[in-house]
Amino acid sequence: HQWRQLRHLFQIGATTRPKMAVHLEAFMAGAMRALEEPIHNKDWAAFDKAFREGIELANRFHQVTGHPEIRWRLPDTEPQEMDLGPSPA
């Protein structure tokens, strides 16, 4: 569900920000497409690799589009108040 919502938001962004459409479409075709198979296969290692590469690509896009102040990064440790493990059966 969240995956479809995210793709939809990118489509809205490409429509409402036509100057950024080429960048959003490139990100969807590259970084986001690379996440689809690991999500479908529930392959955490492949997802983690693709996700980290997507973060780097997003940061490069922000540099290219004149917004170096927007920079994604993962926290050094996972939030302690959240259980990020698999959900109980």
Side-chain angles (χ1 to χ4, degrees):
H1 172 74
Q2 287 89 357
W3 184 248
R4 286 191 309 269
Q5 289 295 102
L6 187 57
R7 284 192 331 226
H8 181 68
L9 288 172
F10 268 72
Q11 291 167 347
I12 290 171
T15 301
T16 59
R17 303 289 306 266
K19 285 174 51 177
M20 298 297 162
V22 67
H23 300 291
L24 292 169
E25 290 165 2
F27 191 80
M28 285 193 302
M32 291 187 55
R33 171 113 28 231
L35 288 167
E36 287 179 359
E37 188 173 327
I39 288 171
H40 178 73
N41 294 333
K42 298 180 182 177
D43 182 346
W44 173 248
F47 175 85
D48 188 57
K49 180 179 183 298
F51 188 75
R52 290 174 187 278
E53 289 170 356
I55 289 172
E56 292 302 317
L57 183 59
N59 289 337
R60 284 196 304 272
F61 277 131
H62 288 131
Q63 289 281 335
V64 168
T65 58
H67 292 283
E69 73 280 5
I70 302 172
R71 187 171 174 274
W72 291 91
R73 71 177 190 90
L74 293 174
D76 295 329
T77 60
E78 63 186 46
Q80 297 303 306
E81 65 276 4
M82 297 179 69
D83 179 2
L84 299 176
S87 61

